[in-house]
Amino acid sequence: MKDISGLLAGVQRPARYLGREINSVCQDPRQAEVHLALAYPDLYEVGMSHLGLKILYELANNLPGVYAERVFAPAADLEGLLRERGVPLFSLESRTPLHRFDLVGFTLQYELNYTALLMMLDCGRIPLYSSRRERGHPFVLGGGPLAYNPEPLAPFFDLLVIGDGEEALPELLDLYREWKRKGGQAREDFLREAAQLPGIYVPSLYCDNYDGEGRFAGVEALAPEARLPVRRRVLRDLEGAVFPECFVVPYMEIVHDRGVLELFRGCSQGCRFCQAGYVYRPVRERSVAKLRAQAGRIVENTGFSELSLSSLSSSDYPAIGELIGTLEADFFGRHLTLSLPSLRAAASAVRLAGSLHKGRAAGVTIAPEAGTQRLRDVINKKVTEEEILEAAAVALKEWQSHLKLYFMLGLPTETMADLEGMVELVRKISSLGRSGGRKKGPSPLNVSVSVFVPKAHTPFQWEPQLEMGEILKRQDFLRRELRRVKGVSFSWHDPSMSLLEAALARGDRRLAPVLERAYALGSRLDAWGDAFSLSRWEEAFAGEGLSAARYACWAPAYTDPLPWDHIDTGISKDYLIREHQRALKGKITPDCRSGSCAGCGLEECPLPQGAGEGR
Amino acid sequence: MYRYRAVLIKQGEFTFLSHLDLQRTLIRALRRAGLPLAYSQGFNPQPRLSFAAPLALGIESDGEYLEFELTRQEDSEELLAALNRQLPPELAVRSLQETDPRAPFLTSLVEGALYMAVFAGPLTGLAGAVQALQAAAVLEVERKGKNASRRVNIRPFIYNLCLQNTGKEGKLFMFLATGNKGGARPDEVLSLLPPEYNLKQVRRLAVFVRDAAGYQTPLGETLSAFCGCKEH
Ligand code: SF4
């Protein structure tokens, strides 16, 4: 392995690039028949915190002949050094240059990482566009939630994996191995075969069409092998699925520096703004017995002092009380902290989370999302004001904890009355805190407001993002009003980042050259707000004769073709339309776990599918 | 409560781990080894494990001393072996012993650190330059603060310098103050030498506490065990 002391000496936080952690998989890459880089387009501390990547690492390294390594985005200082010294971006384990891998697979988690992804390809000496890759270049793959609208990235990828990686990746790697054994000659041969695997999208076998006015007019298949639509893969048996029990143990502190259990995949709530709530359906659970066994081995193999009970809404796990009781007994006296990262705004859930910290002020987060019952009904956030107040009271009084409240601004149908309602709700919660007699210190209540971003494959995919001027006006209102509430601090998500996120989230293939331009103009790790510049992005859009605001504020009709229509999540468009209409009427749709199926059309759903409300 | 002191090496690329990284790594190594690390009392219990005298990134060391407490007594040799099974060879534990749990913490006791700088020849004039440093009453270096930099006299923090010249190679041993009463860094001292000498490496050999018998490492080794210079 090459010594990289010279590079490490020249950068901040060199531990990001050191590798060589306990439980990392070290092999001679020349022995591997299939050499796969698992890439994450953000810094080490973020990428290493992502559960999906750990699952794929475990999965791939247990396939015969496959060696999977990690690679993360270099920060600006290392990127500069790599260019200056002519060193290509390399993997963490064997320090192999990216262009020498057989396949490079990116996890697509956040739109604002797209230019970092281009930077990684570029620094790894891989041509950005798949059309310019030749024999000897790696195949570039993508997967993860953003692959559900792959079009803005389509020309950069050879293949995209749609749905659970546990299903499609082993088949794809098998196919690659076969192609390589047969000589690995024409890239096209592999791609055409891969296109026939369920859940694989090969962008070069499709083209995008536009009408005379430049409106998107659909995606067309160019080859007989190209499926239309491409149906997402669904892992049915979470209980039996691969799960890492030997997490790589980082030396430096990462964002989520802990072990993770995945209680279930999917979410039964059906919040209408939440893409994960749709594209990860149906709910699939692991048993307490399984989770208990995994917990024991994870703690033993890693030495982590914290274990997170993770999922999209962990307090919805039916046996949550039993699970926590079992784990607390198993780890009694061993200084292991259990954490529940995503809670329903309900007293029982907050009580549960608080109990894990033994009354220590750890901080509780609840997400009412909207300030009035009317608007919560619109977004199908099934929580009442009473429940929110009760949950807040538990956090502030029983646990003497800090409380963070998450809201969204600019939700469909929002009016000033909803914002006034938000302020009123915060005021009520803050008065709870005061009567609790909390001692002096930082304000116990933080209100965090982000901007609504319409996402593909949700009932709000037909909704525009609020126009920027209006966002700023409403933000001002909140800032002014919340300042007058005692003991409340207010944090704000940069609306220009949300605008870009919205533009990319519902974008089409014409955005690929925009991304390339933004990259050339210096855009990199935009998710780290400090380096973000909207004007740079506006310049990039303008360079292609497009406008970010127009994409963000697009309000297509139900009949308009959408750039992600060719990606089939298994959820019917009829259902999404029905949900959208119910939203506009302020009608809620029950939780899938309540025994009332709203008929989203998903074949793989194991829940009872009787005639539920919302059908 | 049973308290142990240990000394680790830190080599190669692992010199790029920070003090806190090292601390985290050792805590996890002990936990993986199934050893019952003791925790502090209170709202937010912290593992009772700490390293003495942080070292700047990039410097190799034979002397990273740490102290930790277990709730169960363990055989020192087995403990050392168990830890080394959990650590990369570049961070191997060199030596370990049980100590008095009522003694003050090591972090507050360390007063000096011994560094070795190796120069490749030619070394003409180096001995004189070292002597001149020893003879000086005031030696000022620039220290960067958060906003401004200031000039600091580091002479009081240089306990001793001695040069061993084999002709091909020169080893400069620097015994410097460190700890909460102030100190000097090896690179600061080296910056005061003429620039023409070819510096091959800098290494920390050990850190020292002081008692009635003079300076010794937290594990009881004396200065002469490291450099053979006479006049510390
Ligand atoms: S099929 Fe019914 S129960 Fe299953 S995810 Fe869809 S709506 Fe929910």
Side-chain angles (χ1 to χ4, degrees), chain A residues 274-352:
Chain A
C274 175
Q275 191 190 41
Y278 293 91
V279 301
Y280 287 116
R281 284 184 184 205
V283 165
R284 290 147 288 171
E285 288 165 3
R286 278 202 174 88
S287 69
V288 171
K290 187 82 180 187
L291 292 167
R292 180 185 187 187
Q294 290 176 341
R297 288 192 289 262
I298 289 169
V299 171
E300 203 171 296
N301 291 333
T302 62
F304 284 134
S305 332
E306 186 180 339
L307 187 64
S308 158
L309 311 183
S310 142
S311 72
L312 290 168
S313 179
S314 294
S315 41
D316 289 352
Y317 183 64
I320 188 73
E322 184 194 343
L323 175 67
I324 289 173
T326 307
L327 295 178
E328 282 189 329
D330 284 356
F331 295 107
F332 181 77
R334 285 164 63 187
H335 295 280
L336 183 80
T337 307
L338 300 175
S339 57
L340 268 176
S342 33
L343 289 182
R344 251 172 72 70
S348 57
V350 174
R351 211 164 258 138
L352 207 59

Side-chain angles (χ1 to χ4, degrees), chain B residues 116-120 169-172 198-203:
Chain B
M116 179 180 74
V118 180
F119 294 92
E169 196 181 67
K171 285 183 180 163
L172 175 62
N198 179 11
L199 180 65
K200 297 300 271 190
Q201 65 149 315
V202 181
R203 196 176 183 84

Side-chain angles (χ1 to χ4, degrees), chain A residues 281-282 575 592 596-602 605 607-609 615:
Chain A
R281 284 184 184 205
Y575 166 78
C592 294
S596 174
C597 167
C600 75
L602 193 65
C605 183
L607 295 171
Q609 297 182 18
R615 274 179 177 267

Side-chain angles (χ1 to χ4, degrees), chain A residues 298-575:
Chain A
I298 289 169
V299 171
E300 203 171 296
N301 291 333
T302 62
F304 284 134
S305 332
E306 186 180 339
L307 187 64
S308 158
L309 311 183
S310 142
S311 72
L312 290 168
S313 179
S314 294
S315 41
D316 289 352
Y317 183 64
I320 188 73
E322 184 194 343
L323 175 67
I324 289 173
T326 307
L327 295 178
E328 282 189 329
D330 284 356
F331 295 107
F332 181 77
R334 285 164 63 187
H335 295 280
L336 183 80
T337 307
L338 300 175
S339 57
L340 268 176
S342 33
L343 289 182
R344 251 172 72 70
S348 57
V350 174
R351 211 164 258 138
L352 207 59
S355 72
L356 296 177
H357 299 287
K358 306 279 180 296
R360 167 162 65 91
V364 172
T365 300
I366 54 180
E369 309 288 5
T372 57
Q373 197 60 53
R374 185 200 71 79
L375 194 52
R376 284 193 296 274
D377 290 347
V378 168
I379 63 177
N380 205 35
K381 185 89 195 177
K382 294 174 285 294
V383 54
T384 62
E385 176 157 324
E386 257 171 33
E387 288 175 296
I388 296 168
L389 290 175
E390 215 191 319
V394 173
L396 292 170
K397 294 208 273 196
E398 263 175 55
W399 301 111
Q400 296 280 300
S401 165
H402 292 264
L403 178 63
K404 192 166 189 167
L405 297 171
Y406 272 121
F407 290 99
M408 247 186 272
L409 180 132
L411 286 162
T413 77
E414 180 186 88
T415 63
M416 288 314 277
D418 296 300
L419 299 183
E420 280 156 18
M422 185 195 300
V423 174
E424 195 44 44
L425 181 61
V426 171
R427 197 171 286 137
K428 282 184 193 159
I429 293 174
S430 83
S431 69
L432 291 173
R434 273 205 299 283
S435 58
R438 214 192 133 81
K439 285 166 224 85
K440 286 227 155 51
S443 69
L445 191 60
N446 176 266
V447 177
S448 175
V449 180
S450 62
V451 179
F452 164 69
V453 176
K455 296 267 166 151
H457 302 288
T458 69
F460 289 163
Q461 64 184 358
W462 292 286
E463 288 285 338
Q465 187 174 55
L466 197 59
E467 174 269 318
M468 182 60 87
E470 190 58 34
I471 292 177
L472 294 174
K473 219 174 81 193
R474 295 188 192 183
Q475 172 190 353
D476 271 352
F477 169 82
L478 285 180
R479 196 181 280 132
R480 213 169 44 238
E481 291 299 312
L482 287 172
R483 198 180 292 140
R484 292 173 26 202
V485 186
K486 263 229 186 79
V488 172
S489 65
F490 179 48
S491 53
W492 185 263
H493 193 79
D494 180 354
S496 56
M497 288 169 76
S498 304
L499 172 104
L500 177 64
E501 188 184 334
L504 298 175
R506 291 188 304 158
D508 53 48
R509 228 178 247 209
R510 290 175 296 185
L511 297 195
V514 173
L515 292 170
E516 190 193 8
R517 277 178 191 269
Y519 169 62
L521 290 168
S523 175
R524 294 291 184 274
L525 288 158
D526 280 339
W528 296 78
D530 50 346
F532 178 77
S533 149
L534 185 64
S535 62
R536 188 156 56 203
W537 277 96
E538 280 169 341
E539 187 184 337
F541 273 88
E544 296 297 320
L546 300 168
S547 136
R550 277 191 60 189
Y551 274 90
C553 300
W554 182 40
Y558 293 144
T559 48
D560 283 340
L562 302 172
W564 51 92
D565 274 345
H566 59 302
I567 305 295
D568 178 8
T569 60
I571 294 173
S572 73
K573 203 171 194 177
D574 281 349
Y575 166 78

Side-chain angles (χ1 to χ4, degrees), chain A residues 85-294:
Chain A
R85 303 195 183 168
V87 179
L89 180 64
F90 49 85
S91 61
L92 276 180
E93 281 82 355
S94 71
R95 298 178 182 164
T96 300
L98 216 51
H99 66 89
R100 300 252 298 273
F101 279 83
D102 292 320
L103 308 113
V104 177
F106 282 93
T107 294
L108 305 173
Q109 193 68 27
Y110 187 29
E111 289 84 353
L112 267 56
N113 286 341
Y114 284 172
T115 43
L117 186 154
L118 298 186
M119 178 258 285
M120 289 175 75
L121 288 174
D122 195 18
C123 288
R125 309 245 172 102
I126 299 173
L128 296 186
Y129 285 93
S130 65
S131 57
R132 294 195 205 127
R133 289 179 206 133
E134 293 166 2
R135 212 181 142 213
H137 282 129
F139 288 96
V140 178
L141 338 172
L146 299 194
Y148 289 105
N149 178 23
E151 289 310 291
L153 289 174
F156 306 122
F157 281 92
D158 293 296
L159 304 133
L160 287 132
V161 177
I162 314 294
D164 294 313
E166 289 100 331
E167 294 289 299
L169 192 64
E171 292 171 14
L172 187 69
L173 296 181
D174 270 349
L175 196 70
Y176 175 83
R177 184 189 294 109
E178 253 173 65
W179 173 79
K180 196 175 173 181
R181 280 188 187 158
K182 279 190 275 180
Q185 294 294 325
R187 294 173 71 86
E188 181 82 7
D189 293 349
F190 171 62
L191 292 174
R192 280 176 186 262
E193 279 199 52
Q196 296 170 62
L197 289 176
I200 301 294
Y201 173 51
V202 178
S204 59
L205 303 182
Y206 302 77
C207 73
D208 49 337
N209 295 320
Y210 301 88
D211 69 12
E213 273 111 76
R215 278 184 309 231
F216 177 78
V219 160
E220 190 184 329
L222 299 173
E225 293 88 351
R227 292 161 178 264
L228 204 64
V230 179
R231 174 69 153 86
R232 149 198 177 217
R233 295 301 292 273
V234 180
L235 169 75
R236 285 170 187 254
D237 176 23
L238 194 69
E239 181 83 355
V242 173
F243 192 78
E245 291 171 352
C246 259
F247 288 26
V248 172
V249 185
Y251 292 112
M252 70 179 282
E253 190 174 9
I254 61 172
V255 178
H256 299 308
D257 207 1
R258 58 198 185 197
V260 187
L261 292 178
E262 188 186 22
L263 310 195
F264 58 89
R265 199 171 293 180
C267 178
S268 56
Q269 296 282 344
C271 298
R272 290 172 180 135
F273 56 85
C274 175
Q275 191 190 41
Y278 293 91
V279 301
Y280 287 116
R281 284 184 184 205
V283 165
R284 290 147 288 171
E285 288 165 3
R286 278 202 174 88
S287 69
V288 171
K290 187 82 180 187
L291 292 167
R292 180 185 187 187
Q294 290 176 341

